[in-house]
Amino acid sequence: MPPSIIEVDRVSKQVRDSTGVLTILHDIEFSLRAQESVAIVGASGSGKSTLLSILAGLDVPTSGTVRLGGTDLFTLDEDARAAVRAQKLGFVFQSFQLLGNLTALENVMLPLELLGRGDARAQATEMLGRVGLGERLGHYPRVLSGGEQQRVALARAFVVRPAVLLADEPTGSLDFATGETVMQLIFALNREAGTTLVLVTHDRGIAACCDRQLRIEAGRLVPEAAQLVESVGAA
Ligand SMILES: Nc1ncnc2c1ncn2[C@@H]1O[C@H](COP(=O)(O)OP(=O)(O)OP(=O)(O)O)[C@@H](O)[C@H]1O
């Protein structure tokens, strides 16, 4: 069995608001094996995006630990955490988040250049070909459709061969058919690259395509045995 790539141990997150202290995540615990695909599901406001931000090292838990490939993310200083993020993680967001003043090719070359990896142009060109945009290398995001922009974002995420891809509602801004194409591409690239996929989604069909689902209710992880009972009951 592949080793754990992510180990989350008793992660809680609290914030202060005008009414006092709000607990967004309560003692979340799970681990993910290398190459697994996992959907994080749950109602709006249950804490899914907060958990994803903590897995990304972008948000800091109030207590608990997150180990990525054996490295405890929150014992590192910000610079070291950013370096781990750049080397091991890829991100795909609902809103694409491409740089508008760079072409498709330049957007995909950028993470390779920041990591000092050789031959960024050739690797980025090949990756854009892989997502079906080999003819659009010199085009700026503003002339690309939503689905095309998300495919550039996928190429940018996968080109560094991340250990883990974190995706937050990657089809949320796309119509159904385009969303399906993008998801098929994510699963295919994921298998090819042997990446672990962590996907936040409201879409049950997409969640069902993942190896596992982690359900969050009001900041607590529903035990997987209880989820199984629920799904058998619903069948
Ligand atoms: N900095 C903050 N201050 C106050 N409340 C916050 C803060 N960050 C998150 N929250 C609250 O924590 C809860 C969980 O937010 P989160 O964005 O993680 O939910 P979510 O499950 O991703 O929701 P959605 O599916 O709607 O995107 C929400 O009620 C949100 O308003």
Side-chain angles (χ1 to χ4, degrees), residues 99 101-111 113 121 124 128 137-140 156:
L99 294 174
N101 58 340
L102 300 183
T103 64
L105 180 62
E106 289 163 347
N107 265 283
V108 180
M109 286 170 64
L110 189 61
E113 290 170 341
R121 180 171 294 271
L128 279 163
L137 304 183
H139 290 197
Y140 287 89
R156 179 183 60 183

Side-chain angles (χ1 to χ4, degrees), residues 13 15-17 22-25 41-53 59 94 168-169 200-202 216 219:
K13 176 72 183 179
V15 292
R16 284 194 176 278
D17 68 4
L22 175 71
T23 301
I24 302 176
L25 296 173
V41 300
S44 181
S46 55
K48 304 180 298 296
S49 296
T50 305
L51 177 59
L52 202 71
S53 294
D59 196 353
Q94 178 173 347
D168 197 352
E169 294 281 2
V200 167
T201 184
H202 285 282
I216 305 212

Side-chain angles (χ1 to χ4, degrees), residues 167-184:
D168 197 352
E169 294 281 2
T171 62
S173 303
L174 306 174
D175 64 56
F176 179 75
T178 310
E180 278 221 320
T181 308
V182 163
M183 274 319 302
Q184 282 168 8

Side-chain angles (χ1 to χ4, degrees), residues 203-218:
D203 185 314
R204 285 173 183 229
I206 291 174
C209 292
C210 292
D211 298 328
R212 282 163 69 197
Q213 296 185 34
L214 298 177
R215 175 171 299 282
I216 305 212
E217 284 179 7

Side-chain angles (χ1 to χ4, degrees), residues 71-88:
T71 304
D72 185 343
L73 280 185
F74 299 104
T75 57
L76 304 175
D77 65 29
E78 292 244 359
D79 286 349
R81 203 154 59 231
V84 169
R85 201 160 43 232
Q87 282 164 15
K88 296 198 170 164

